[in-house]
Amino acid sequence: MSGIIVELENISFTYVSENTQILKTLSLKLRKGEISTILGPNGIGKTTLLLIILGWITVKSGSVRLKGRNLEEYSRKEMGQLIGFVPQYEHISFEYSLLEYVLLGRSPHLNSLESPGKKDYQIAMDALERVGLEDYAERSVLHLSGGEKQLVLLARSLVQESEILLLDEPMSNLDLANKLKIIKILQTLKEEGVTILFTSHEPEIAARLSDYLILMGQNYTIEQGVVDDVLTSEKLSRIYNIPVNIEEINGRKIVLWHE
Amino acid sequence: MVKKHLPHKKNTLILLLLLVVFFSIALFLGRYPETGFMSPRLLFTDSLARKLVFNLRLPRLLTSLMLGMTLAGSGMVFQMIFSNPLVEPGFLGVTQGAAFGAAFAIIFLNPSIWIIQGSASFFAVTGLGLSYLIAKKIHFGGWIIRLILSGIAVSAIYSSGIGIMKFAADPMSQLPEITFWLLGGLWSVTWREFLVIFPISALALLVIYLMRWRLNILSLEDETAFSLGISPRKYRLIFLISATVATAALISVSGIINWVGLIVPHISRRLFRSDTSSSLPAAMLLGGVFTIFCDTVARISFAGEIPLGIITSMIGAGLFIFLLLNKNIKVQK
């Protein structure tokens, strides 16, 4: 079918060292220019799923196809241009300026012997501006708060200019205003045709932002579909194993959870 | 608008100038005709002065330049790759491997420069390889800690090997040679030694220099580096082998020189920040300045030469304590 940019078919995955199976015959299709959210309890395999699409984790059974081609057929560089990844947290060991750090996102566009040039610096500055940190371009990354760090990681992936963006809990450390900022950035990226998949623990954000929702539950159960079909009290209660109610106030979905 | 494009160009030029000045002054410093600075004019009149400057001091200075550039450059490579500001080529069995190889050649093989260099390089690379293979087999901890643990173990095995060879060495002829070699110094360097080590170390340094921006990416978590379109394993191997081969080549003529690889990258990062597109060349230049300075002190301060390794350790460790107390070393975790 046209418009499908990421296609997983019957993916199963087991962490060998821990001997725990995480995914079982999972299939998933992401359409170009759509925002999708993965919800599910801790440790259920949300990040694993992102890393499989990224190619960092290879699966023994099932296939991953990107733009109709098998993932294995892509070179590292092509993959870097195709998919950006924003980790939930990143340990930084050395003192970079924000600008230098964000510039690292240009890597898939430069060959091994190249350093970033003027054009790359401009792209990096634009990305910092987009996340609202342009005034801190020369500041050290070591002094960032958790939330600012998440903004910097997002900026680095913007610099990568990839068609697909995978984000691991991109709003987990952010205050309300910054959450809204990221929501807006992701919406703009969507308008630009970028396909977005992110994990989250906040159904409300998924309701507000996403076209498509993937719920991952115990025993490899997966519920997926458009948000209105999947984001129901009954399904959320089952996934999180606690009573959950969804109320609608002024057209916005609010999630209430109880003991 | 972008204020700063290609950063630190001016400072790098200043460093280069400093290096040229140090080099030129050191060329005329010594104990001939008397202790201190020799007038360059003497070159035109005194054939002994000419011989001294061009046949002894020049190759030695060039070697100390290469030594400083290599140790500092390799130190930077190791620190970036292990995301750890406190490592140097002494990790992963490189230095001890080279030392073992040289001692082995002195005692059991023909102690010629080629054999010593070959044996030192062989055991340094073997040390790296062993550390790498053992690290791959360890089943606990992250990749970096596994690599460092196995490096420590491999180094310990090599240094006990060195101990056995010191014990077995002929106390009249071989033991002094091994001992002096373990202290490190450049007094025996001539054009011959320089020309033996130059091609391989220059090539390795060139590879590191040209690919330097990628070192930044290798300092990130592996999956992040991977997501930025590079294969961390492949690049790590290219950098580590280049740094190890260059270090082993230099160590085979200089003996063990510590602290340069640890302290110089630190100073460089302080002056140029962490981005390796500027901090790596700066570390190489600073390493050259530092080693030329130390070797000149070693050469002229006493009638009998002090081993260079002692001077670099003394100054390097001193600077290190100074930096530590100034809270300029930022180590997280």
Side-chain angles (χ1 to χ4, degrees):
Chain A
M1 204 159 69
S2 70
I4 303 291
I5 187 162
V6 176
E7 190 176 4
L8 307 185
E9 218 179 292
N10 289 322
I11 295 285
S12 298
F13 179 72
T14 304
Y15 276 108
V16 181
S17 54
E18 283 118 52
N19 202 16
T20 38
Q21 181 151 13
I22 300 285
L23 304 172
K24 201 169 180 179
T25 59
L26 177 137
S27 295
L28 172 68
K29 285 175 185 167
L30 301 181
R31 288 167 177 283
K32 185 170 169 50
E34 281 194 353
I35 299 181
S36 312
T37 310
I38 307 172
L39 291 177
N42 296 111
I44 205 75
K46 299 187 294 296
T47 306
T48 305
L49 186 54
L50 294 185
L51 293 177
I52 285 171
I53 299 173
L54 184 65
W56 174 246
I57 291 178
T58 43
V59 286
K60 291 228 173 68
S61 69
S63 70
V64 183
R65 294 172 73 78
L66 303 166
K67 296 171 89 177
R69 268 168 77 196
N70 271 326
L71 188 142
E72 299 83 44
E73 293 168 26
Y74 285 91
S75 72
R76 246 342 23 257
K77 191 171 175 172
E78 287 173 322
M79 280 295 279
Q81 291 172 359
L82 183 64
I83 302 186
F85 173 63
V86 181
Q88 189 186 348
Y89 169 81
E90 188 162 291
H91 173 73
I92 303 176
S93 310
F94 297 102
E95 182 156 37
Y96 289 94
S97 71
L98 262 57
L99 182 61
E100 288 163 338
Y101 205 68
V102 165
L103 260 174
L104 300 181
R106 292 307 291 164
S107 168
H109 298 277
L110 301 169
N111 69 42
S112 342
L113 305 185
E114 262 180 309
S115 291
K118 268 187 191 177
K119 192 187 119 219
D120 304 304
Y121 273 78
Q122 190 60 56
I123 293 170
M125 272 312 282
D126 291 345
L128 279 176
E129 209 173 318
R130 225 163 156 173
V131 299
L133 289 173
E134 73 275 20
D135 291 338
Y136 303 135
E138 291 297 321
R139 270 233 218 138
S140 161
V141 281
L142 292 183
H143 306 307
L144 295 174
S145 71
E148 287 168 325
K149 213 173 188 177
Q150 274 190 318
L151 292 174
V152 168
L153 296 181
L154 177 66
R156 187 180 66 199
S157 72
L158 296 179
V159 162
Q160 208 171 333
E161 296 181 325
S162 54
E163 293 175 56
I164 301 166
L165 191 54
L166 309 173
L167 307 98
D168 198 3
E169 296 184 30
M171 295 167 233
S172 54
N173 288 318
L174 297 178
D175 63 40
L176 293 178
N178 277 330
K179 260 181 203 162
L180 189 62
K181 188 189 282 170
I182 293 216
I183 288 175
K184 293 223 162 112
I185 291 172
L186 294 184
Q187 279 168 336
T188 319
L189 287 173
K190 176 189 163 161
E191 282 160 27
E192 290 166 9
V194 177
T195 308
I196 294 165
L197 174 65
F198 69 96
T199 65
S200 175
H201 288 301
E202 293 170 274
E204 283 146 1
I205 289 180
R208 178 158 183 181
L209 188 60
S210 292
D211 304 294
Y212 199 78
L213 192 58
I214 300 131
L215 293 185
M216 296 176 72
Q218 300 297 338
N219 301 318
Y220 322 111
T221 51
I222 301 283
E223 299 270 4
Q224 51 178 320
V226 293
V227 174
D228 284 340
D229 292 349
V230 180
L231 203 65
T232 63
S233 307
E234 179 242 328
K235 283 179 175 153
L236 284 186
S237 304
R238 189 145 28 94
I239 291 285
Y240 291 112
N241 213 12
I242 54 164
V244 177
N245 278 333
I246 295 177
E247 306 282 339
E248 231 170 276
I249 299 175
N250 298 333
R252 273 179 59 184
K253 287 193 161 126
I254 306 294
V255 177
L256 302 171
W257 44 282
H258 324 274
E259 263 181 64
Chain B
M1 254 320 284
V2 182
K3 277 173 286 173
K4 238 193 278 181
H5 292 313
L6 305 172
H8 306 311
K9 269 210 165 133
K10 204 176 102 194
N11 291 344
T12 310
L13 279 177
I14 292 174
L15 261 187
L16 186 64
L17 201 70
L18 189 72
L19 180 63
V20 172
V21 169
F22 264 67
F23 191 96
S24 318
I25 292 177
L27 196 58
F28 295 102
L29 276 178
R31 297 185 152 261
Y32 180 86
E34 63 256 352
T35 305
F37 193 78
M38 179 182 98
S39 163
R41 261 173 299 167
L42 210 61
L43 286 182
F44 298 102
T45 54
D46 186 341
S47 73
L48 187 60
R50 257 201 311 274
K51 259 191 196 150
L52 187 68
V53 167
F54 292 116
N55 290 350
L56 288 174
R57 282 190 199 155
L58 190 57
R60 178 172 178 164
L61 263 170
L62 286 170
T63 308
S64 64
L65 173 65
M66 285 305 286
L67 178 66
M69 290 176 75
T70 299
L71 291 178
S74 303
M76 183 69 99
V77 167
F78 278 72
Q79 291 179 4
M80 296 309 284
I81 283 183
F82 300 120
S83 314
N84 186 341
L86 300 178
V87 289
E88 64 150 14
F91 282 68
L92 300 195
V94 171
T95 308
Q96 291 299 330
F100 176 86
F104 184 80
I106 291 168
I107 294 188
F108 295 111
L109 308 168
N110 174 7
S112 84
I113 165 74
W114 283 99
I115 307 267
I116 293 178
Q117 155 155 319
S119 176
S121 300
F122 174 78
F123 283 101
V125 173
T126 310
L128 175 71
L130 269 177
S131 306
Y132 183 83
L133 288 177
I134 294 171
K136 273 181 89 167
K137 298 274 178 200
I138 299 177
H139 286 298
F140 60 91
W143 171 243
I144 285 165
I145 189 77
R146 272 151 54 204
L147 207 51
I148 286 176
L149 279 178
S150 62
I152 289 173
V154 170
S155 296
I157 290 172
Y158 274 135
S159 54
S160 58
I162 296 169
I164 291 172
M165 281 190 289
K166 278 168 87 174
F167 190 68
D170 178 347
M172 298 314 284
S173 59
Q174 295 166 330
L175 190 57
E177 195 175 345
I178 294 176
T179 305
F180 273 106
W181 195 87
L182 289 174
L183 290 171
L186 294 172
W187 57 83
S188 61
V189 170
T190 63
W191 279 115
R192 190 175 139 72
E193 279 78 18
F194 175 73
L195 292 175
V196 169
I197 57 106
F198 180 74
I200 186 150
S201 51
L203 181 71
L205 285 188
L206 187 68
V207 169
I208 293 172
Y209 173 79
L210 288 175
M211 296 188 9
R212 66 193 182 281
W213 188 69
R214 289 276 145 122
L215 267 179
N216 291 316
I217 292 165
L218 289 179
S219 80
L220 305 173
E221 310 272 346
D222 270 8
E223 60 255 44
T224 307
F226 182 86
S227 78
L228 292 173
I230 73 165
S231 156
R233 253 162 215 244
K234 184 179 112 191
Y235 280 94
R236 201 153 46 205
L237 211 60
I238 295 174
F239 275 113
L240 284 181
I241 287 184
S242 304
T244 302
V245 166
T247 303
L250 263 307
I251 284 183
S252 75
V253 297
S254 71
I256 293 183
I257 307 291
N258 281 318
W259 286 93
V260 181
L262 184 66
I263 194 73
V264 174
H266 267 290
I267 298 173
S268 166
R269 270 197 303 270
R270 261 217 76 197
L271 298 174
F272 290 78
R273 218 150 36 196
S274 297
D275 185 352
T276 40
S277 30
S278 42
S279 67
L280 181 95
M284 287 180 174
L285 294 175
L286 268 174
V289 170
F290 182 73
T291 315
I292 286 174
F293 174 78
C294 290
D295 190 47
T296 308
V297 171
R299 195 157 54 83
I300 62 173
S301 44
F302 292 100
E305 203 170 285
I306 314 171
L308 173 60
I310 293 176
I311 310 251
T312 59
S313 294
M314 212 153 65
I315 299 179
L319 277 173
F320 188 65
I321 292 170
F322 176 76
L323 286 182
L324 278 178
L325 293 179
N326 268 299
K327 295 179 186 165
N328 283 319
I329 291 177
K330 296 191 178 72
V331 185
Q332 295 185 326
K333 253 180 199 171

